[in-house]
Amino acid sequence: MILLKDGVKYILHEYVSEEELAQMVIEHYKDIFGTNTLYFDPQTMKTQVGIEARNDGIILATDQNRWYILEVELAKHPLHEHIIPQITKFSIAYEEAGTRKKIINTLYNAIRQDAFKTAIIQTQKIEDLHKMLTDLIDIQPTISIIIDQKTPELDYICNRLPFPTQTVEFKTYVRENIGIGVHVHEFQ
């Protein structure tokens, strides 16, 4: 696909890695999830028996009373072999009270140490941050899969995951003969 604006062509950018796509998503997380959301760096969730799952970040949407586990994927990777095992591990880890407590404490400390995050919480008039986080994390998360191109395989996988999911197709177009320095994004 090519986008054309005022005679200038923008060509679909092919992401080199999931990390490249993840950086774009982090840059625009408020556009994707809402203006009153908070992004937290990737975390490793680990069970008492040693099962580990690393997410691509956590998003809190306190004004929506929702939280998201972020998974950034490239459609060219074997989705079935990657997403299902990863989300299954999240599910196993999330079921343990100790894991939820660790998530709550990690988010609590991250908010308290960040003036921007603290200001967002204060504007929402949240008086007891720890209680709000405990109540929110007790609600099952939504897995938000951000991908460069939706595929039928992804829809099939999402219908079989142990958490509610949302998928967001995130595409970037770069200006012809200029590259990533001048770009435009497409997503819902």
Side-chain angles (χ1 to χ4, degrees):
M1 174 184 261
I2 294 177
L3 297 178
L4 189 62
K5 182 182 184 318
D6 300 328
V8 177
K9 290 181 183 178
Y10 287 79
I11 301 163
L12 184 62
H13 174 68
E14 186 174 326
Y15 297 101
V16 176
S17 65
E18 286 180 8
E19 291 76 19
E20 180 188 17
L21 176 56
Q23 286 301 60
M24 297 278 190
V25 169
I26 292 165
E27 182 180 326
H28 294 285
Y29 79 90
K30 286 187 173 288
D31 298 311
I32 298 168
F33 295 97
T35 56
N36 288 323
T37 55
L38 299 174
Y39 167 81
F40 297 86
D41 290 331
Q43 296 182 24
T44 299
M45 300 165 69
K46 186 175 182 179
T47 67
Q48 291 178 351
V49 295
I51 296 172
E52 288 187 15
R54 183 160 179 85
N55 59 50
D56 292 321
I58 290 179
I59 305 287
L60 293 186
T62 55
D63 59 340
Q64 302 168 33
N65 201 34
R66 294 177 75 182
W67 70 291
Y68 302 87
I69 295 176
L70 186 60
E71 267 304 301
V72 177
E73 300 294 337
L74 295 179
K76 64 184 176 186
H77 292 166
L79 299 177
H80 188 268
E81 295 170 15
H82 185 254
I83 292 175
I84 290 178
Q86 186 76 351
I87 304 304
T88 301
K89 290 177 187 177
F90 289 156
S91 180
I92 291 167
Y94 177 77
E95 289 174 10
E96 289 188 6
T99 301
R100 291 192 304 277
K101 184 175 180 179
K102 181 182 174 195
I103 293 169
I104 292 163
N105 290 335
T106 300
L107 298 178
Y108 178 83
N109 291 331
I111 291 169
R112 304 285 294 176
Q113 296 170 4
D114 184 305
F116 172 76
K117 287 179 170 84
T118 299
I120 294 287
I121 295 298
Q122 288 172 343
T123 61
Q124 294 180 21
K125 304 205 183 314
I126 295 169
E127 294 181 22
D128 187 341
L129 176 59
H130 200 274
K131 180 181 179 341
M132 181 278 297
L133 288 170
T134 301
D135 292 345
L136 188 60
I137 300 305
D138 277 345
I139 298 169
Q140 193 176 46
T142 299
I143 302 299
S144 183
I145 301 171
I146 314 289
I147 193 162
D148 59 333
Q149 181 181 354
K150 285 188 179 181
T151 65
E153 179 188 15
L154 181 62
D155 289 336
Y156 180 83
I157 291 168
C158 288
N159 289 331
R160 284 147 182 83
L161 293 175
F163 288 119
T165 62
Q166 78 171 28
T167 58
V168 176
E169 187 175 61
F170 191 100
K171 294 183 177 192
T172 299
Y173 297 85
V174 297
R175 185 171 173 173
E176 185 176 51
N177 300 321
I178 301 293
I180 197 72
V182 179
H183 62 271
V184 64
H185 299 295
E186 175 189 7
F187 58 90
Q188 278 189 309

